[in-house]
Amino acid sequence: MMSQTVSSGSALDLSKTESTTETRFLQQGREEVFELQAETGDYIELGWQVNSGRFNLDSINRLTGAHIRRFVFSNAGRSPFLLVVEDAPINLKVSAIETGHYTLSIIKQVGAEHQNIEQNEYLSPRIANLADHLKSGNSTDVFWTEIEQKGTPLIEDNGNNKSILTFLARGARTGVRLLGAPTSNHEELEQLAGSDVWFKSFVVPNTTRLSYQLAVDVPVISGTWMERRRAILATLAADPLNKHPWPADAIDPYSQHSTVLLPAAEPGHFLGNQTVAKGQVTHSKIDSKTLGNKRDIWLYRSVGYEASKATAPLLIMFDAEHYKGRISVPDILDNMVADGAIPPLAAVFISHIDSKTRTQELPNNAQFAAFVAEELLPFAEAELGISATPERTILAGSSFGGLASSTISLRYPQHFGNVLSISGSYWYSEENEENYVANLIANTPRQDIRFFLSAGLFEKSVVGGDRGILQSNQHLRDVLLARNYEVKLEAYAAGHDLFSWQTILSDGLVFLIGKGAP
């Protein structure tokens, strides 16, 4: 509760208006003091709005009048403010710097006795029922029997083409971390009422397709923030209760992800080793004088390529370790060619050697761009017996590989006329210049390059800023359109996730070289 006094000595009772938007008038040089009815430890959210004039808002010691904290300094706007009541009783003082109208209210007040980590409301109805079940002294045995039969995560309808997705773990000692959640962060599962149930719920679109892993009882170590964060890798593995591991034949759970495919999710029409005619894959090594290193490459020729190679597209794809490994792009291409979704083509898959080399070469590296244009492309042309044209040549990659596809094409548009960027890392900056590629597009002459961009709806900035992959791809799309580039951006209910990228690749190829494409 909050009551009010005016510096002139008169008193007003605001107990009936504390949660309304009643506007108050105060003349310049005058003050109003509100008595905050709260106990030590109470958490309070104040609502504040100024319609005219300018004001200060302070908390003061009710007994001594001593200043405690300034919430508003000569403010003429609207904001919520948060405080925790300390030992001394508190008054709130509004001082008018300029005559005007303001509103002050309590939006929320939570007593210390009600502040705890136990949830009273749950996104998941099933978890809410279980919480009630446990309060009656029952066990979790029936719940776990049900979960073992159905598999994890728990999926419940939420209406409006959305579902409640609840990730679960059993019997952890210190905690469970989730990697691959429908957010851009590591998520901590919560323990339910001191039981052996650990859970975390999210509302997601019914088109959600993702893979994830769980890390149970992650070691707590000293060190930097990044070192402590990386400790998740010590126990990170597939969810033992999930019935859809990927890949199914992984050597151990640590090399495996668990997958989620909601009812309206794209199943992936071109995935798997289908019964179709297979293209030819050959392995080579290329020794780069530009980079001073040697790496593996694979050359792919689809069925029908030899007969049409004079006009056939050429796909150059980074991160062969991913796209000739966990994801078999040659199989995807075989299936797409057999279906008639794309014409016969050739492809080159290039190794990134190791993670350190990858992070040095892919983000806007002029030497690596020169290697691709002046060494790799001529090598591929000689091996394939073609003279590649930019309008039929595609640079493709994910994350830093998507960024590299754009920057290399912009450096060498005479060679590469198509960009297929999957979750491209366009948050990348140089010299504190955010979204380097967008700024480059905006400030250089237009090139004859077509773009397919994709991003996950869950790839938002961890800190809530505007530098997440989703936001930076949207920004790049807008700049490309403003500069009259041909561009398509697709946003998927997915995260930064190879499992989802394998279906996105085929969408990009259909846009760039499929039926009806230029």
Side-chain angles (χ1 to χ4, degrees):
M1 304 289 287
M2 189 165 59
S3 60
Q4 184 262 2
T5 61
V6 185
S7 56
S8 62
S10 59
L12 295 174
D13 181 5
L14 294 185
S15 61
K16 297 181 181 179
T17 61
E18 64 183 42
S19 298
T20 72
T21 56
E22 178 183 322
T23 300
R24 305 196 64 77
F25 174 76
L26 192 62
Q27 291 183 331
Q28 182 176 340
R30 300 294 299 275
E31 296 177 347
E32 288 186 325
V33 177
F34 295 82
E35 184 176 306
L36 196 61
Q37 301 296 325
E39 302 293 334
T40 300
D42 282 7
Y43 167 87
I44 297 175
E45 180 179 355
L46 301 173
W48 171 261
Q49 181 174 343
V50 173
N51 296 330
S52 61
R54 304 184 74 87
F55 302 87
N56 291 343
L57 172 63
D58 300 280
S59 60
I60 59 175
N61 185 307
R62 185 183 307 158
L63 302 178
T64 66
H67 173 84
I68 299 174
R69 179 177 178 181
R70 173 150 292 178
F71 295 100
V72 172
F73 179 78
S74 192
N75 177 267
R78 175 178 183 175
S79 297
F81 297 94
L82 306 175
L83 66 95
V84 173
V85 178
E86 299 181 358
D87 293 336
I90 290 177
N91 285 349
L92 298 173
K93 181 175 71 174
V94 179
S95 308
I97 309 303
E98 296 176 2
T99 298
H101 295 81
Y102 73 91
T103 301
L104 174 64
S105 62
I106 294 178
I107 297 174
K108 187 174 186 178
Q109 183 167 347
V110 182
E113 69 277 12
H114 298 297
Q115 299 170 27
N116 54 62
I117 62 171
E118 182 180 353
Q119 287 185 260
N120 295 316
E121 296 182 3
Y122 302 92
L123 277 176
S124 164
R126 183 67 184 87
I127 294 296
N129 290 338
L130 177 61
D132 291 339
H133 184 72
L134 294 175
K135 288 177 182 177
S136 301
N138 298 298
S139 75
T140 61
D141 292 346
V142 173
F143 172 78
W144 284 120
T145 298
E146 172 192 331
I147 295 301
E148 287 170 2
Q149 291 173 350
K150 294 182 177 179
T152 50
L154 179 64
I155 301 170
E156 300 167 282
D157 180 54
N158 195 50
N160 298 317
N161 297 313
K162 293 184 178 181
S163 293
I164 301 167
L165 203 60
T166 302
F167 296 87
L168 296 162
R170 185 176 192 178
R173 291 180 291 104
T174 59
V176 183
R177 281 158 71 178
L178 167 64
L179 184 62
T183 67
S184 295
N185 201 4
H186 296 188
E187 295 289 343
E188 299 275 356
L189 272 62
E190 302 169 35
Q191 189 174 17
L192 181 62
S195 72
D196 61 352
V197 176
W198 293 78
F199 74 100
K200 186 74 173 181
S201 299
F202 305 87
V203 176
V204 298
N206 283 343
T207 53
T208 294
R209 177 189 180 97
L210 59 80
S211 70
Y212 69 96
Q213 291 178 299
L214 298 176
V216 177
D217 298 332
V218 176
V220 179
I221 63 171
S222 61
T224 65
W225 174 85
M226 182 55 70
E227 288 171 335
R228 296 194 303 273
R229 182 178 173 90
R230 282 175 56 82
I232 190 176
L233 299 176
T235 65
L236 193 65
D239 178 354
L241 295 173
N242 181 282
K243 295 185 179 295
H244 304 284
W246 181 73
D249 58 354
I251 191 170
D252 56 51
Y254 300 96
S255 307
Q256 199 171 52
H257 285 66
S258 303
T259 66
V260 177
L261 221 64
L262 290 190
E266 167 60 53
H269 297 297
F270 303 112
L271 302 181
N273 188 11
Q274 299 179 20
T275 307
V276 299
K278 301 297 180 184
Q280 178 187 5
V281 180
T282 57
H283 173 251
S284 298
K285 288 186 178 290
I286 186 167
D287 194 350
S288 172
K289 295 180 181 179
T290 302
L291 297 173
N293 58 36
K294 180 183 293 186
R295 68 189 66 220
D296 295 298
I297 65 169
W298 287 263
L299 290 133
Y300 164 87
R301 301 167 177 85
S302 74
V303 170
Y305 169 74
E306 292 298 334
S308 62
K309 65 182 182 181
T311 58
L314 173 63
L315 170 67
I316 299 176
M317 195 157 195
F318 305 115
D319 292 325
E321 288 81 355
H322 296 322
Y323 294 107
K324 261 292 281 102
R326 174 167 286 185
I327 297 174
S328 178
V329 173
D331 283 342
I332 293 173
L333 298 179
D334 288 338
N335 298 334
M336 294 185 74
V337 170
D339 184 76
I342 57 174
L345 78 164
V348 182
F349 302 92
I350 176 169
S351 163
H352 59 236
I353 301 179
D354 55 38
S355 59
K356 181 179 180 181
T357 305
R358 183 180 187 274
T359 57
Q360 291 173 340
E361 292 182 345
L362 292 183
N364 192 33
N365 184 310
Q367 285 185 307
F368 184 73
F371 157 71
V372 174
E374 298 169 4
E375 293 182 314
L376 178 66
L377 181 60
F379 176 87
E381 288 178 317
E383 291 290 315
L384 296 167
I386 60 168
S387 179
T389 58
E391 64 271 14
R392 303 297 281 170
T393 304
I394 307 155
L395 285 183
S398 54
S399 196
F400 273 159
L403 173 67
S405 299
S406 293
T407 56
I408 296 171
S409 292
L410 290 166
R411 287 179 186 271
Y412 295 95
Q414 71 273 28
H415 295 311
F416 310 112
N418 296 276
V419 169
L420 200 169
S421 173
I422 304 172
S423 291
S425 299
Y426 297 110
W427 49 262
Y428 172 81
S429 63
E430 287 193 356
E431 299 178 354
N432 297 319
E433 183 182 76
E434 291 189 10
N435 206 326
Y436 170 85
V437 176
N439 287 327
L440 186 65
I441 292 288
N443 295 295
T444 56
R446 182 189 179 280
Q447 306 293 344
D448 193 15
I449 303 172
R450 301 167 65 237
F451 289 82
F452 176 86
L453 309 175
S454 77
L457 295 176
F458 310 139
E459 293 186 283
K460 298 179 181 178
S461 172
V462 173
V463 295
D466 60 355
R467 292 186 62 189
I469 283 177
L470 176 62
Q471 297 93 334
S472 58
N473 271 269
Q474 291 169 333
H475 179 210
L476 176 58
R477 183 267 320 274
D478 294 342
V479 173
L480 285 165
L481 288 173
R483 298 285 286 150
N484 294 316
Y485 281 84
E486 185 178 354
V487 57
K488 182 178 185 180
L489 170 63
E490 289 283 0
Y492 298 84
H496 207 68
D497 182 3
L498 275 168
F499 179 68
S500 301
W501 293 346
Q502 61 185 337
T503 63
I504 296 171
L505 173 65
S506 57
D507 290 349
L509 290 172
V510 168
F511 172 73
L512 294 171
I513 60 172
K515 294 176 181 177

